[in-house]
Amino acid sequence: MLYVVTGPPAAGKTSWIEAHAKARDVVIDLDRITSALSGPGAPQWNQNALHLRIAHRARYAAMDEALQHVDRLDVYLIHTMPNAKALAKYKRLKARIVVVDPGREIVMARIAAMRSTDMERVATRWYNARNRLPRPAMPQASRTW
């Protein structure tokens, strides 16, 4: 099964996956990929533009391969802000969309404490885009964890 985990930066998407995924599952997380491709001593949430560019290419390659195997293993994909085309693809694949959102205040406090201030813009964009969605089209948040 494909799980698409979405939400603003610092919402807890990786923590949600860590609470649900098993060792044999595939996890595609841009932060993890960027970290794996960065040299020793790089910050945990490396936002270096060149590292991110390379990590994005690796992420797309991993997605292309993993999506061919969702009938045999679980794939957890973090996609912060999927566009309409991506959502349509995930729907065709019968993905479960999981929205992790502890609330704007908590997200902004986490960003201030742990992340680059550039992530504030991403979080603001995520909340603004979410507010523009018609209510029936919004996936339901999964907070049982």
Side-chain angles (χ1 to χ4, degrees):
M1 167 154 236
L2 173 62
Y3 297 87
V4 179
V5 184
T6 184
K13 298 180 294 293
T14 299
S15 296
W16 188 91
I17 289 173
E18 288 173 0
H20 291 84
K22 296 174 287 310
R24 72 175 300 274
D25 296 336
V26 171
V27 176
I28 302 173
D29 177 347
L30 186 64
D31 289 340
R32 281 183 173 193
I33 294 168
T34 305
S35 180
L37 295 173
S38 299
Q44 182 178 1
W45 289 286
N46 185 0
Q47 298 299 316
N48 178 287
L50 287 176
H51 288 167
L52 281 172
R53 181 182 174 130
I54 294 165
H56 271 100
R57 299 286 289 253
R59 178 178 175 261
Y60 291 130
M63 287 169 59
D64 287 344
E65 185 63 29
L67 294 180
Q68 295 179 41
H69 305 287
V70 293
D71 57 331
R72 294 187 304 231
L73 53 82
D74 286 342
V75 175
Y76 291 81
L77 169 64
I78 292 181
H79 196 157
T80 298
M81 290 180 32
N83 61 24
K85 183 178 177 181
L87 287 172
K89 180 178 184 176
Y90 300 148
K91 184 177 181 178
R92 280 193 312 277
L93 292 168
K94 297 179 174 68
R96 176 175 170 213
I97 306 293
V98 178
V99 179
V100 179
D101 178 18
R104 187 182 204 117
E105 295 83 23
I106 292 171
V107 164
M108 292 306 186
R110 288 177 182 173
I111 289 170
M114 303 183 308
R115 302 281 181 102
S116 157
T117 55
D118 293 341
M119 291 294 103
E120 289 176 4
R121 287 195 315 268
V122 177
T124 298
R125 202 169 77 229
W126 188 89
Y127 282 108
N128 289 343
R130 188 162 172 85
N131 289 338
R132 286 191 303 267
L133 289 176
R135 278 286 175 206
M138 293 178 80
Q140 293 299 308
S142 175
R143 296 189 189 199
T144 57
W145 60 281

